[in-house]
Amino acid sequence: MVIKLDANISFILFYGITFGILIMTIVYTFVRYLYSKEIFYVSYCFMQIFSLIYILAYSNLFEISNLIKEISLVLASLFALFFAINYYDGKFLPKIRNYKELFFNTFLFNIVILTAFYHYILFEYLPYTIVYAILFISIVFNLKQGFKPTLFYVVGWSVFCIILFIFDFKDFYIQQNYFDLVLIVFAIEAMLFTISVAYKYNDLKRQNKEFEKLILQQSKFVKSGEMIANITHQFRQPLNNISYILINLKTRFENNRLDKEFFDRKVNQANEQLNFLSKTIDDFKEFYIQDKQKEIFLVKDSIFNAISILSADLKKHNIKLDLEFKTFEDIKVFGVKHELSQVVLSIVLNSIDILKNIENPEIFIKVSSSSAEVIIDIVDNGGGVKIKNLKKIFNPYFSTKKDGTGIGLYLSKIIIEDSFLGKLEVENEKDGAKFSIFIEKVI
C-alpha cells in the first residue's frame, strides 16, 4: 500500500490517534477474552478489527478499494450485532399484562428507534448504532432490574447525542470544516466501552464468586453419601463397645459382683466411646459449615478432621495412611479452617479412588515448612497422573472418572488461592502423584 503524501500533518496525526485508540481497544478486548473466555469480548474485538479496516479505507491515507471498505462495514455490523446480543442484560421482550404496559413499552421502543436513528444520522457509522440501539433496549425494558454495567455505555452515548442535538453541533462542525465526526465517534466508543467493561468485569467476577460458593456446597453434598457411609461404619464399633459395656454391667449387677472400681472403669470406657462419637459428629458438621470466618488455627487439626471422616474408607480398602511432620506439630496458618480440611479430604478421596485396585496402597501426608510457608505434600503410589492431564487436572468439570464431577480439585485450588492466598500444585513422582499445598505460616 502506498501512503498518499498530499495529506497534511495534523490530518495524519488525528487519524493516527484514532488508529491507536482502535488498536488498543482490540488488544484490550482480546486479552480480556483470553482471561475470561466471555464471548462478547472476542465479538467486540472482531467488530473493532473490521472498524479499523473501515477507517483505514475511509481516511484515504492508504490505497484500499471501496469493496474492502464495504465488506469491512458489513462484517463490523454483523459482529456488532453478535456482541450486543451477548452483552445484553435482561429480557429482550418485556411481559405485557395490560394496555397501560403496552402503551408504555411501545413509547419506550419508539424512543429507542428515534434515538438510534439520530445516532446514525449524526455519526453515520452503522456498527456502533446497532450496539447502541440494542443496549438501549436492554436498559429501557429492564429498568426494574437495577443498576447494570450497560447503563454507562447507553447513558454516555445518549448524553453526548442530546448535547449535539440541542446545540445543532453537527451543522456547526461541518461549516467550520473540522475533522470528520466519524473519527470522534471511534474515540468515544472506545472510552465508553472501556468504562462499561470495567463494571461488567466486576459484575462477572462477583457472579463467579457466588457460583463457586454454590458449587462448593454442592460438591460437599455430592460426597455426603460416601461420607455418611464412612460415619455409619465408624459409629458401629463404638456402639457395639457401649453395648458390651452395658451387658457386662448388667451381668455383674445381677450376680451381685458389681463393685465401685469395676463400675467406674466401665463408665470411663463408655465415656471414651461417646467422646469418639461426639468428635465424629463435630468433624462431619464442620465439613458442612458455611462460615467463612478466617482465623489462626493448627494445620494438624484440619488434617486430622479430614482423616477422621475418611478413616472408615481407608480401612475398607486396606489403604495405609501415614502422617509425618517434618516441622513442629503445632505449626499454624491463617485462613478458613474447615476449608483446608475440605481440600485435604478432596485430594485424599481422589487417591482412594485410584488406590482401590492397587496392591499395597499407601498415602503419605508430609507437613514441612520453610522460613515463610507451610508445605503439605499428599503423595500416593497409584501410578501418577497422565502427562496430558497434568495441565488440565485443576480445570472445572475435568475428570478422568466415569462418575466424577470434575469440581473437587478445581474448588480445592480456588480455596487455597482465595482463602489462604497460597498455591496448589501437582506433579508425578516415581510411584504416584504428589499434590503440594503452599500456605503462608503464622509466626
Side-chain angles (χ1 to χ4, degrees):
M1 294 184 289
V2 180
I3 297 179
K4 297 182 177 181
L5 299 176
D6 58 342
N8 61 58
I9 295 175
S10 59
F11 181 76
I12 295 174
L13 179 63
F14 203 75
Y15 268 103
I17 293 171
T18 305
F19 299 156
I21 290 172
L22 279 172
I23 291 170
M24 285 189 293
T25 306
I26 291 167
V27 173
Y28 173 77
T29 50
F30 184 70
V31 170
R32 280 292 192 198
Y33 169 72
L34 292 177
Y35 182 76
S36 68
K37 301 302 180 185
E38 291 289 342
I39 195 68
F40 66 81
Y41 283 124
V42 74
S43 55
Y44 188 88
C45 179
F46 277 107
M47 179 188 79
Q48 292 293 64
I49 288 173
F50 289 111
S51 294
L52 177 61
I53 296 172
Y54 174 84
I55 200 68
L56 284 170
Y58 182 86
S59 69
N60 292 321
L61 292 174
F62 304 92
E63 291 183 354
I64 300 175
S65 68
N66 281 331
L67 178 61
I68 293 176
K69 177 182 173 182
E70 295 304 319
I71 290 174
S72 63
L73 178 63
V74 171
L75 291 174
S77 300
L78 290 174
F79 278 108
L81 180 63
F82 191 64
F83 158 73
I85 291 172
N86 281 278
Y87 196 78
Y88 193 96
D89 286 321
K91 298 178 180 179
F92 274 98
L93 298 175
K95 288 184 179 180
I96 299 175
R97 291 177 288 268
N98 50 54
Y99 286 109
K100 183 180 178 181
E101 289 186 355
L102 176 63
F103 174 80
F104 182 68
N105 284 303
T106 302
F107 174 73
L108 291 176
F109 189 65
N110 284 329
I111 290 177
V112 171
I113 292 174
L114 291 172
T115 309
F117 178 74
Y118 181 69
H119 183 282
Y120 181 73
I121 295 298
L122 187 63
F123 301 117
E124 299 179 9
Y125 190 65
L126 182 60
Y128 292 167
T129 300
I130 291 172
V131 175
Y132 172 68
I134 292 176
L135 297 188
F136 200 163
I137 292 173
S138 169
I139 294 298
V140 299
F141 283 171
N142 298 279
L143 290 173
K144 294 181 180 179
Q145 291 192 19
F147 180 82
K148 296 285 182 181
T150 309
L151 194 61
F152 274 104
Y153 190 94
V154 172
V155 170
W157 269 124
S158 299
V159 169
F160 187 66
C161 289
I162 290 170
I163 291 172
L164 296 187
F165 176 76
I166 291 173
F167 292 100
D168 196 19
F169 186 75
K170 185 173 182 180
D171 289 339
F172 171 78
Y173 196 89
I174 292 172
Q175 290 172 10
Q176 296 297 319
N177 199 28
Y178 291 142
F179 293 113
D180 202 312
L181 273 175
V182 173
L183 293 177
I184 296 178
V185 77
F186 279 97
I188 293 172
E189 164 68 22
M191 290 186 290
L192 287 176
F193 179 72
T194 302
I195 295 171
S196 182
V197 160
Y199 280 89
K200 184 79 169 181
Y201 175 74
N202 290 334
D203 190 45
L204 289 172
K205 193 174 181 180
R206 178 187 57 78
Q207 292 177 23
N208 189 50
K209 289 286 184 185
E210 293 175 356
F211 177 72
E212 286 172 356
K213 185 178 179 181
L214 177 63
I215 290 294
L216 176 60
Q217 285 303 116
Q218 288 178 341
S219 72
K220 291 179 180 180
F221 287 117
V222 166
K223 296 183 178 76
S224 63
E226 187 173 349
M227 289 197 300
I228 288 171
N230 285 332
I231 290 170
T232 301
H233 184 82
Q234 290 188 61
F235 269 35
R236 186 172 290 115
Q237 188 60 46
L239 289 173
N240 285 338
N241 292 340
I242 292 172
S243 177
Y244 291 142
I245 290 169
L246 292 173
I247 290 171
N248 287 336
L249 287 171
K250 183 175 183 292
T251 302
R252 285 271 187 142
F253 178 78
E254 289 175 346
N255 294 328
N256 295 319
R257 294 172 51 231
L258 182 60
D259 56 62
K260 187 178 186 304
E261 182 182 352
F262 181 84
F263 179 80
D264 289 342
R265 187 167 71 250
K266 289 301 178 182
V267 168
N268 289 334
Q269 289 175 358
N271 281 331
E272 288 177 3
Q273 300 301 314
L274 290 172
N275 287 335
F276 175 81
L277 294 175
S278 178
K279 184 180 182 304
T280 302
I281 292 171
D282 288 340
D283 290 340
F284 187 68
K285 181 182 69 176
E286 192 169 298
F287 177 74
Y288 281 97
I289 196 169
Q290 296 190 45
D291 184 23
K292 295 281 286 184
Q293 186 69 36
K294 290 188 176 185
E295 59 180 339
I296 296 173
F297 63 90
L298 295 172
V299 171
K300 68 178 181 182
D301 286 349
S302 283
I303 296 175
F304 287 151
N305 175 261
I307 294 174
S308 174
I309 292 173
L310 294 173
S311 60
D313 220 11
L314 293 165
K315 290 177 183 177
K316 179 182 176 182
H317 299 289
N318 297 313
I319 298 173
K320 180 183 177 183
L321 188 146
D322 287 327
L323 174 59
E324 179 184 0
F325 281 83
K326 292 187 174 181
T327 183
F328 60 100
E329 288 195 18
D330 290 336
I331 195 164
K332 297 177 181 180
V333 294
F334 178 75
V336 184
K337 181 180 175 182
H338 70 86
E339 288 193 344
L340 182 56
S341 296
Q342 159 74 10
V343 171
V344 174
L345 186 140
S346 291
I347 296 172
V348 173
L349 264 179
N350 271 9
S351 294
I352 290 173
D353 286 334
I354 294 167
L355 295 172
K356 287 177 180 178
N357 301 313
I358 301 289
E359 288 188 17
N360 302 316
E362 290 182 296
I363 298 173
F364 304 93
I365 301 178
K366 301 176 183 178
V367 182
S368 58
S369 65
S370 65
S371 58
E373 292 179 315
V374 176
I375 303 109
I376 305 171
D377 292 325
I378 303 174
V379 187
D380 63 46
N381 61 342
V385 182
K386 290 182 179 178
I387 300 298
K388 66 178 182 179
N389 294 333
L390 273 175
K391 291 184 178 180
K392 299 184 289 184
I393 198 166
F394 294 117
N395 290 351
Y397 309 113
F398 174 79
S399 178
T400 57
K401 297 179 289 186
K402 290 182 180 180
D403 57 347
T405 61
I407 57 178
L409 291 177
Y410 163 69
L411 287 171
S412 295
K413 187 174 178 65
I414 295 296
I415 287 169
I416 295 300
E417 290 177 349
D418 289 358
S419 292
F420 295 92
L421 303 179
K423 295 184 296 181
L424 175 59
E425 299 176 351
V426 62
E427 62 180 340
N428 285 326
E429 291 201 332
K430 182 180 179 181
D431 298 321
K434 180 175 80 170
F435 287 85
S436 299
I437 302 167
F438 301 87
I439 302 173
E440 184 179 351
K441 71 178 182 182
V442 174
I443 301 174

